[in-house]
Amino acid sequence: MEAFHDQLSFFRLAVPSALMVCLEWWSFETLVLLSGLLPNPKLETSVLSITLNTANCLFMIPYGLGATISTRVSNELGAGRPGAARLAVRVVMFFAILEGLIMGVVLVSVRRVWGHAYSDEEEVVTYVAKMVLVIAVSNFLDGIQSVLSGVARGCGWQKICACINLGAFYAVGIPAAYLLAFVLHVGGMGLWIGIIFGILVQVLLFVAITLCTDWHKEVYIC
């Protein structure tokens, strides 16, 4: 029965944590729905699905780093070691940037053949080759936000970060995607570029919060 004690504190962290993830993932799924409204929806939806699947596969690496740093930061703060927590954040940021650069180079290198893994239609393969360049940028930024989200969860900032995700993706990302795709007629690539604007806002806010963190104070808060 001890597992059911203090459930209110558990849900105060669990619900915002779920919102942090859901708000971001739902925004990417929205891109596929919007692609069906573009001219030549069969092509656009196919390519958006391929690129989204590619982005999700690549995201698993920084997502794992984010889960690791979340546990490490919370353990270090709970043990009263703010210096170790700060060092762990610096190390994981180095790995996130390195991973983003390496995977970006790999994506650019295979961009002309990657589409063949999903389709033999030359139109699809050519379009995917163009979109992969955008995915490389998206993956780099998404990797940084993933590890910073892990830091946020480790520090107990779930409510703040859920609000950041809400604003970044639904006040900036999706409106920018709609503007580029349907008003400026950039097409499916415009949808991805728009969501990158949302990720960029998210990353900048997470970086600002992390840089302004007083780690010694966080020890006492935790």
Side-chain angles (χ1 to χ4, degrees), residues 12-222:
R12 283 175 179 169
L13 294 175
V15 173
S17 293
L19 285 175
M20 281 179 63
V21 177
C22 290
L23 288 172
E24 181 175 1
W25 283 72
W26 290 341
S27 67
F28 282 91
E29 296 295 340
T30 302
L31 297 185
V32 180
L33 295 176
L34 289 175
S35 68
L37 302 176
L38 292 168
N40 197 352
K42 184 177 180 180
L43 174 64
E44 297 287 1
T45 303
S46 298
V47 173
L48 260 294
S49 298
I50 291 171
T51 52
L52 182 61
N53 183 65
T54 303
N56 287 341
C57 289
L58 294 174
F59 182 68
M60 292 301 104
I61 302 174
Y63 187 75
L65 292 174
T68 303
I69 193 61
S70 174
T71 303
R72 183 64 182 271
V73 165
S74 60
N75 286 346
E76 297 295 357
L77 292 178
R81 295 192 291 264
R86 182 172 56 247
L87 178 60
V89 173
R90 292 175 178 174
V91 171
V92 81
M93 279 297 297
F94 169 78
F95 280 119
I97 293 172
L98 181 63
E99 182 272 339
L101 292 174
I102 292 174
M103 295 311 300
V105 172
V106 172
L107 279 174
V108 172
S109 300
V110 303
R111 68 186 186 279
R112 301 189 188 281
V113 298
W114 184 248
H116 287 290
Y118 297 89
S119 175
D120 291 327
E121 295 186 19
E122 195 59 37
E123 186 180 23
V124 174
V125 174
T126 302
Y127 199 170
V128 169
K130 296 179 181 178
M131 291 289 281
V132 162
L133 299 175
V134 180
I135 296 300
V137 177
S138 171
N139 178 69
F140 179 78
L141 293 174
D142 218 15
I144 295 175
Q145 76 79 19
S146 180
V147 297
L148 291 178
S149 292
V151 173
R153 290 192 299 272
C155 293
W157 303 334
Q158 283 88 338
K159 291 182 181 179
I160 297 174
C161 293
C163 293
I164 288 176
N165 287 359
L166 179 63
F169 288 105
Y170 296 89
V172 178
I174 292 179
Y178 183 88
L179 176 66
L180 290 169
F182 295 97
V183 179
L184 300 180
H185 305 291
V186 183
M189 187 172 290
L191 292 176
W192 264 112
I193 294 174
I195 212 69
I196 287 176
F197 287 147
I199 299 174
L200 181 60
V201 171
Q202 181 192 31
V203 168
L204 291 175
L205 291 175
F206 280 171
V207 167
I209 291 174
T210 304
L211 290 177
C212 294
T213 299
D214 185 337
W215 293 102
H216 289 85
K217 184 177 180 181
E218 288 297 321
V219 169
Y220 297 103
I221 294 176
C222 293

